[in-house]
Amino acid sequence: MPIERVSASYYRVPLEPSGDAGHGLLDTEELILVEIDADGLTGHGYAYTIGRGGRAIQALIERDLALLLIGQDATDVEALWRRLWNGLLYVGRGGLVAFAVAALDIALWDLRGLRLQQPLWQVAGGVRRTIPAYGSGVDLPKPLDQLLTQVEGFLTRGFSAVKVKVGRPDPEDDRARIAAVRSLIGDGATLMIDANMGWTYDQAVERSRLLEPYRLFWLEEPLRPEDVAGHRLLASAIPTPIAVGESLHSVDEFRRYIDDRAAAVVQIDVVTNGGITPALEILRLADGAGLSTSSHYTDELSAHVLCASASPIFVEKHAFALDPYLEEPQVVTNGTVTPTDRPGTGLRFNRDALERVAL
Amino acid sequence: MPIERVSASYYRVPLEPSGDAGHGLLDTEELILVEIDADGLTGHGYAYTIGRGGRAIQALIERDLALLLIGQDATDVEALWRRLWNGLLYVGRGGLVAFAVAALDIALWDLRGLRLQQPLWQVAGGVRRTIPAYGSGVDLPKPLDQLLTQVEGFLTRGFSAVKVKVGRPDPEDDRARIAAVRSLIGDGATLMIDANMGWTYDQAVERSRLLEPYRLFWLEEPLRPEDVAGHRLLASAIPTPIAVGESLHSVDEFRRYIDDRAAAVVQIDVVTNGGITPALEILRLADGAGLSTSSHYTDELSAHVLCASASPIFVEKHAFALDPYLEEPQVVTNGTVTPTDRPGTGLRFNRDALERVAL
């Protein structure tokens, strides 16, 4: 099944302007869509960024990685992943290269499913699961009334779990917002918070103690991702479980958190983690350590890939939904998602819709 | 001193084909040359790769990083470094982004020197030093006679220290080659070896015990760069000091090695480490821990930057010399180098020479 063609297209699409404590204003998303042709089939994959680096991802695919794939047998996806990762080792080992390798790896897994006429969850070695989903806001700069409107929207869509951003300059501001959200969703609902790496260690201890009375299910990315020791120490200092994943760009980066029990919830993102291939390895490591597994963004693919985990707890339904650009948006039923049963990933972008909004 | 213009040019130049244990065949180098204009002055910087990723570095600079610099004050180089690093945090934190930020950071340091009419070693807070240099081969696939010819060339040029690659499939092959090199250079000369991440832990122990009788000054990159614990364990298991640096793309990656005493020699590379700004921080950390400091590639800039270290032991003079493309190649005197005394870096590429050979 020799690979005949690899292509990458770039789209820059607007987001409803908002932000978080670590990345500041977010108003643009880049989407890099790839196609891989082999044996009459076309696998589809993609990478995204939050506004910068997309043209470099496209250049990596077109100038470097495509040459490593053309003519190779598409069936051994794991070997091809290593070929791509090692082919860019000098400038890689994570970071931006992980995003480019991911887009191709997703397309190769799609091809594997198309060839075997099986959905991704099945070729990835999973069992088809219905997984709870949560409504996830990007809302730090929003005034309180808009924050509550967003959370109300999540409840209306059937979610009984929601996540909101924290990390406003004034701790009391964070407290008042989390108190209002808890009051709105009621005691029975699940509430997570996300600090997006915005805190020092002392701030993280102080803020999580201030917010803990509102019954937090997890605290996401309290500190810089490099600070594994800080996360481990924090995990023993506060009662709220810590969640990480979106900023880790290799299996090795996850392994440090998992080996050190520096996080209680491991969140895969098949784009930022370098693809479905490493995400499956990360889930095996997390399962082996008895940690909880969940996902960041990449909602549609995560519903498949988490089926390979022993007991995934949540799929994130992200505020920056790709629904307007998808042929078949993911369906949420009673606050849960189930992976599609089409062969491959089932994920197809609508190019016309993308071109209509592209900046 | 507002920044008015940022440009990036791409050149793909041939290398004499050779290789090492970690990167395989090396036959091409990419050079990305940047210029930054501010207040009538032009700062020059560059990044290199060993054949892949260069177009993505150019895209990062042209599409993302230039926009973060235009209009900013060029004088606060450290603040601009943070602005660039944080501006690409989501796809960065090392890897390819470090190379792109480095090219711009080097140009900003050049501008700082031009503005103050001081050479880089001085604006970087150093004292002008004459530092021993060593001849460094890229020679793993070379037959023994060609290896010895290369080493003989180093001796002829006045070096009394040389480095050769190791990591051939047959351990006896490595032994015979290192024995022949030691015999050629004599007992008085200094000999380093470089495994380029090619070994497992057990291989590293076995090989270094086999080669240790030939009096090794250091063993470079025995294991995967992610395996800090392996390096620390190896450091206590073998008598040969361990050197690392070229594969570490952030201050945080160096900090782990330095904090854990997992390496005895810290090698800066102002391109792969993300620029002169982080390299100076890495040297401070290494000096504070009482470790030795040296450099990888980037020969001309390293001679400046190592002047800010307490007691640098060696500058690498790399086999892939940029001399044919430089206006004024670095001068080696009695096996030592001294930084230039011109304002700024003193490093200027000859564009005509590059265009003549560009692939």
Side-chain angles (χ1 to χ4, degrees), chain B residues 74-281:
Chain B
T75 58
D76 191 349
V77 179
E78 290 78 6
L80 291 176
W81 186 89
R82 285 192 298 274
R83 181 175 169 83
L84 298 177
W85 191 261
N86 291 334
L88 280 159
L89 200 62
Y90 198 76
V91 293
R93 297 182 40 248
L96 188 77
V97 168
F99 291 64
V101 172
L104 296 167
D105 181 75
I106 292 166
L108 290 169
W109 277 94
D110 189 37
L111 263 181
R112 178 177 270 182
L114 294 174
R115 181 173 59 89
L116 300 174
Q117 283 292 299
Q118 293 179 358
L120 175 57
W121 63 262
Q122 192 167 10
V123 289
V127 291
R128 195 172 192 218
R129 296 178 192 281
T130 293
I131 306 174
Y134 70 91
S136 186
V138 180
D139 48 36
L140 194 64
K142 285 190 201 294
L144 182 59
D145 60 331
Q146 287 180 30
L147 169 66
L148 294 179
T149 300
Q150 183 167 54
V151 171
E152 221 158 18
F154 293 142
L155 299 178
T156 305
R157 287 171 63 196
F159 295 112
S160 60
V162 300
K163 189 172 81 187
V164 300
K165 301 292 188 190
V166 292
R168 287 211 158 198
D170 180 358
E172 170 55 24
D173 221 3
D174 273 351
R175 198 205 55 75
R177 292 162 68 88
I178 297 303
V181 170
R182 172 51 81 192
S183 169
L184 174 67
I185 65 177
D187 281 350
T190 300
L191 174 59
M192 303 88 148
I193 61 171
D194 186 354
N196 289 95
M197 320 173 285
W199 290 335
T200 63
Y201 181 82
D202 284 348
Q203 282 176 322
V205 173
E206 178 206 338
R207 298 281 181 117
S208 54
R209 285 184 181 154
L210 186 70
L211 302 176
E212 205 273 322
Y214 305 102
R215 301 186 35 249
L216 306 175
F217 190 73
W218 77 50
L219 164 61
E220 189 166 325
E221 290 204 314
L223 310 172
R224 301 171 64 240
E226 289 84 358
D227 189 11
V228 180
H231 281 86
R232 185 180 47 198
L233 200 61
L234 187 64
S236 65
I238 64 171
T240 306
I242 292 172
V244 298
E246 74 180 270
S247 299
L248 306 179
H249 305 312
S250 70
V251 174
D252 284 284
E253 290 196 290
F254 275 92
R255 187 180 283 121
R256 293 179 61 204
Y257 276 89
I258 293 168
D259 283 354
D260 288 3
R261 299 294 199 278
V265 182
V266 172
Q267 301 169 304
I268 57 160
D269 177 323
V270 293
V271 172
T272 67
N273 304 163
I276 293 168
T277 300
L280 291 169
E281 193 173 339

Side-chain angles (χ1 to χ4, degrees), chain B residues 47-98:
Chain B
Y48 72 91
T49 80
I50 57 172
R52 296 196 184 108
R55 286 292 186 187
I57 293 170
Q58 185 184 24
L60 281 172
I61 295 168
E62 290 180 344
R63 299 290 191 138
D64 300 301
L65 296 170
L67 299 172
L68 293 170
L69 287 181
I70 298 291
Q72 299 291 309
D73 178 7
T75 58
D76 191 349
V77 179
E78 290 78 6
L80 291 176
W81 186 89
R82 285 192 298 274
R83 181 175 169 83
L84 298 177
W85 191 261
N86 291 334
L88 280 159
L89 200 62
Y90 198 76
V91 293
R93 297 182 40 248
L96 188 77
V97 168

